[in-house]
Amino acid sequence: EIHLSIPLMPDRWLVPRYDNYDAAPEYVIVGGLVFVPLSRPWAETKRDERIRSLLVQKLGLPLPEEGKQAVILSKVLAHPCNVGYHSLGLVVLESFNSAPVHNLAQLAQAVAKSDAELLVFEFARTAGHGKDLVILNREECNQAEEEIRTQHLIASPCMVREDGLGEPRPLSDTATAAAAASSSSAASAPAASAMDTEEASKL
């Protein structure tokens, strides 16, 4: 008689499927651009054919590597710092300043640490071929951050899971230190709150 011990592991998907299991209300706001990870709970709050198309493309894909997310530009909160891009949304972010985007937390860290004059976001189009580029002035975005958050009642510029676990929180002090000199609001980012989670579900 032979006894075998076989550990069972749950399926892991690129697109999370259930709140409080593999999905969480994360977001990052940069110059009014609102980024979220693609998940089925988030997609179910939207009524747009582009979201359905994204789900068809990505819902059944296995998780290619630990921590990988499909990062989506959910919407643009209109402000002079992002004029010309107000109608853009529901596209997949591929790179930031020429570096591939692995997940939302990595994007937030890269933006916070950037000292480039311009913030360059490259998106894959939902349908058809080609790319969409969004190019913002970093200093203008930093100056506009507090005004945008106040106007839309958003407590923190980002809520992410830096280790991929637990509840989303603002970036740690070490991750935001590089941005403190150029953004007066970054150094005083508020602690996580119920309002952040509720707001994230609407973004």
Side-chain angles (χ1 to χ4, degrees):
E1 183 177 347
I2 300 176
H3 296 276
L4 298 177
S5 178
I6 302 176
L8 300 179
M9 298 293 291
D11 291 332
R12 303 285 302 280
W13 306 102
L14 174 63
V15 178
R17 301 188 173 199
Y18 304 102
D19 275 332
N20 301 318
Y21 173 60
D22 56 354
E26 299 179 84
Y27 70 87
V28 172
I29 301 175
V30 184
L33 307 185
V34 180
F35 297 97
V36 301
L38 178 62
S39 70
R40 190 164 71 175
W42 172 81
E44 288 175 348
T45 68
K46 308 299 179 183
R47 297 291 185 268
D48 194 293
E49 285 298 324
R50 291 171 294 176
I51 290 297
R52 294 183 182 181
S53 176
L54 282 173
L55 284 179
V56 167
Q57 294 173 31
K58 300 183 180 296
L59 186 60
L61 297 180
L63 187 68
E65 55 184 304
E66 191 64 33
K68 177 65 176 176
Q69 292 176 322
V71 176
I72 305 296
L73 175 63
S74 175
K75 65 175 70 172
V76 177
L77 304 176
H79 187 276
C81 74
N82 56 47
V83 67
Y85 303 113
H86 296 171
S87 62
L88 188 64
L90 305 181
V91 286
V92 180
L93 178 64
E94 291 198 337
S95 68
F96 167 68
N97 282 359
S98 300
V101 172
H102 183 67
N103 57 37
L104 207 61
Q106 179 244 335
L107 172 64
Q109 293 164 356
V111 171
K113 295 174 182 177
S114 176
D115 59 0
E117 179 184 358
L118 300 177
L119 306 178
V120 181
F121 303 88
E122 184 176 359
F123 300 91
R125 292 173 180 167
T126 307
H129 302 285
K131 309 286 185 180
D132 287 313
L133 282 180
V134 171
I135 303 175
L136 303 179
N137 181 280
R138 180 176 61 88
E139 187 61 32
E140 290 179 2
C141 290
N142 288 337
Q143 293 173 357
E145 180 189 296
E146 185 173 358
E147 180 181 353
I148 291 172
R149 292 198 288 118
T150 300
Q151 181 179 357
H152 295 276
L153 302 178
I154 299 171
S156 175
C158 72
M159 294 288 286
V160 295
R161 299 190 294 179
E162 292 184 69
D163 58 1
L165 303 172
E167 293 297 319
R169 299 185 60 83
L171 279 184
S172 61
D173 291 341
T174 54
T176 57
S182 59
S183 174
S184 60
S185 58
S188 57
S193 68
M195 189 190 79
D196 295 309
T197 301
E198 181 179 351
E199 185 63 38
S201 66
K202 302 175 184 177
L203 296 174

